[in-house]
Amino acid sequence: MKTIQLYRDKDRKWLYISEKQILNKPLVFVFGNRYLLEEPNIYKDINKIFPDGDIILGSTAGEILGNNVYDETVSVTAIEFEKSSFIIHSKNVKNYDGNFQKLGEDLSSEFPKNSLKHLFIVSEGSTVNGSTLIDGLEKNLSKNILISGGLCGDDARFEKTLASYNSLPKEGEVVAIGFYGEALEITCANYGGWTTFGPERTITKSKDNILYELDDKPALDLYKKYLGDKANELPQAALLYPLNLRLKGSNETLVRTILNIDENNNTMILAGDVPEGSTVQLMMSSVDDIAEGASKAAFYAMKNRTKKPELSLLVSCVGRKLVMDQRTEDEIEEVIEVIGKQSVTAGFYSYGELSPFAGQNDCKLHNQTMTLTLISE
């Protein structure tokens, strides 16, 4: 495996953090600030550097490159696989009228199943219901093919997100990369580091990812009551106080971030499904807890590996970044300490993370976690 990493800030000068070399038909991950990705020449500039590359673009709430976290940049990680291969397909939500499960089904059906090892997703993050997207993706895959990735971000603005494959970035795009080859070893894991507080309340009215009522009371009113003065800062303030979701009839819990609020209907729109009969509880965290959570995610991802990773794709939640503030890089350093400095590290801060729980095969939508996908040949 050969790699090149570089980035560009608002001054439009490309800076390499690795040695320049010629790559043959590389996979090129481009993670960047939404405003910079909207510049008309950005795709052309990257295509000029990697004329035979397969280029994936995704907007972020912060870029991870090496052991650093950047804001308002465009980061590039290009990979030439020497013993394996990849195939890329994409779909757009505008062609599916809100049927995210059908989009997922159609997308995963396009991948040949022979020698498919893993599916990595870079998805639009503004409107997609990540839970139903995963359901659709998994319908055409065998249990041993794992899915990981993330929902694109837009800092803490929640205005729109962008993604694309070999084209100018656009709204509504969902991109999937299928990795192939017997030489590949790919593992993934996630962990949060958040603590619950306050009463546990039952979801009495919801539809998909829209939360209407808790304990037969308007959910948004209750949430604002707990936030106090911070309610004036919604929806951004919700990133600091996500919901711990306990599914009905199960001990399994998931974290759900509030992506937006609807004042007219007194509802909250979350990144994934919130089924009726499930319970939710507020969560909070600290800098140290989040850093420790990142370390645990790395430990779980490394636990059953036979080889050290050569490439590590990190997807962490924008809410974690807001809590960490000036110490955001602490969680990246914790990850690198576990996975080793031999690995090339890249990724982004997201509106949602996709990964199975450690030791499981079924992919889940997570919020407020550090998610790792570790790759070696």
Side-chain angles (χ1 to χ4, degrees):
M1 185 183 297
K2 299 177 182 178
T3 59
I4 295 176
Q5 289 189 298
L6 62 153
Y7 73 98
R8 198 204 83 178
D9 58 20
K10 291 186 292 185
D11 295 330
R12 303 185 181 185
K13 182 179 180 181
W14 290 104
L15 300 173
Y16 284 76
I17 68 167
S18 63
E19 182 181 348
K20 289 184 180 182
Q21 56 181 318
I22 302 298
L23 300 184
N24 180 39
K25 297 181 179 180
L27 171 62
V28 184
F29 285 109
V30 182
F31 301 128
N33 171 271
R34 190 254 295 177
Y35 290 133
L36 293 182
L37 291 187
E38 286 180 318
E39 293 184 2
N41 291 325
I42 189 65
Y43 173 72
K44 185 186 299 184
D45 289 347
I46 297 166
N47 187 238
K48 187 175 181 180
I49 300 172
F50 303 102
D52 64 345
D54 284 289
I55 301 170
I56 312 296
L57 296 98
S59 64
T60 79
E63 301 80 58
I64 300 170
L65 197 68
N67 58 359
N68 296 311
V69 176
Y70 296 95
D71 289 302
E72 298 184 347
T73 68
V74 175
S75 71
V76 179
T77 299
I79 310 105
E80 177 188 328
F81 293 93
E82 299 174 281
K83 303 174 185 176
S84 46
S85 61
F86 58 88
I87 294 173
I88 304 170
H89 292 292
S90 64
K91 301 287 183 185
N92 197 286
V93 299
K94 70 181 181 182
N95 299 319
Y96 286 86
D97 193 28
N99 192 339
F100 302 114
Q101 180 163 336
K102 175 62 174 170
L103 187 157
E105 289 179 25
D106 288 352
L107 189 54
S108 61
S109 69
E110 295 191 352
F111 288 89
K113 303 306 182 290
N114 187 33
S115 296
L116 177 62
K117 281 292 189 74
H118 193 94
L119 214 59
F120 188 84
I121 306 297
V122 178
S123 170
E124 86 92 35
S126 298
T127 62
V128 72
N129 182 330
S131 301
T132 54
L133 174 66
I134 290 169
D135 289 343
L137 289 168
E138 289 188 327
K139 190 166 185 180
N140 293 307
L141 300 177
S142 62
K143 288 290 186 180
N144 64 321
I145 299 172
L146 303 186
I147 299 172
S148 63
L151 309 184
C152 293
D154 181 27
D155 292 322
R157 288 182 293 264
F158 293 96
E159 294 173 354
K160 62 179 177 178
T161 61
L162 306 174
S164 69
Y165 165 48
N166 278 350
S167 67
L168 290 171
K170 65 196 76 167
E171 292 185 74
E173 201 78 354
V174 181
V175 184
I177 305 104
F179 291 98
Y180 291 80
E182 294 304 316
L184 283 171
E185 182 177 14
I186 304 178
T187 57
C188 55
N190 71 90
Y191 200 86
W194 295 71
T195 304
T196 57
F197 71 96
E200 194 172 48
R201 296 186 179 275
T202 301
I203 298 173
T204 48
K205 185 178 180 182
S206 66
K207 182 180 179 181
D208 299 328
N209 63 329
I210 302 174
L211 180 56
Y212 291 89
E213 293 180 1
L214 296 171
D215 292 343
D216 296 314
K217 298 176 182 178
L220 183 56
D221 284 348
L222 277 174
Y223 191 75
K224 286 181 175 180
K225 179 181 177 181
Y226 282 110
L227 288 190
D229 292 341
K230 287 188 176 292
N232 296 323
E233 302 171 23
L234 286 171
Q236 289 87 346
L239 295 171
L240 301 175
Y241 300 97
L243 299 177
N244 185 62
L245 173 71
R246 186 181 301 278
L247 300 173
K248 183 180 180 180
S250 171
N251 290 323
E252 183 178 273
T253 61
L254 297 164
V255 182
R256 286 287 179 261
T257 288
I258 298 158
L259 291 181
N260 216 331
I261 60 173
D262 185 339
E263 296 278 7
N264 293 329
N265 294 308
N266 215 3
T267 61
M268 301 189 292
I269 298 92
L270 294 99
D273 286 347
V274 281
E276 289 182 2
S278 302
T279 60
V280 293
Q281 195 173 9
L282 285 171
M283 304 185 80
M284 62 187 301
S285 192
S286 68
V287 171
D288 291 339
D289 288 341
I290 285 179
E292 183 180 352
S295 179
K296 288 182 178 179
F299 171 79
Y300 287 131
M302 289 290 291
K303 191 173 182 180
N304 296 314
R305 290 191 64 85
T306 62
K307 293 180 284 187
K308 292 183 178 180
E310 297 174 79
L311 173 67
S312 300
L313 298 174
L314 278 54
V315 181
S316 186
C317 187
V318 58
R320 299 169 67 86
K321 187 167 179 278
L322 292 179
V323 173
M324 298 289 280
D325 196 20
Q326 298 299 315
R327 291 180 57 188
T328 305
E329 290 175 352
D330 284 10
E331 71 165 345
I332 311 304
E333 292 170 1
E334 290 287 341
V335 166
I336 292 173
E337 186 172 332
V338 176
I339 65 176
K341 295 182 179 179
Q342 81 289 334
S343 178
V344 171
T345 303
F348 64 98
Y349 281 85
S350 74
Y351 283 176
E353 304 83 58
L354 313 181
S355 171
F357 284 112
Q360 298 184 16
N361 288 343
D362 293 341
C363 185
K364 302 291 185 183
L365 170 73
H366 306 276
N367 294 124
Q368 308 293 0
T369 66
M370 165 64 79
T371 293
L372 297 91
T373 304
L374 308 182
I375 304 174
S376 59
E377 289 189 289

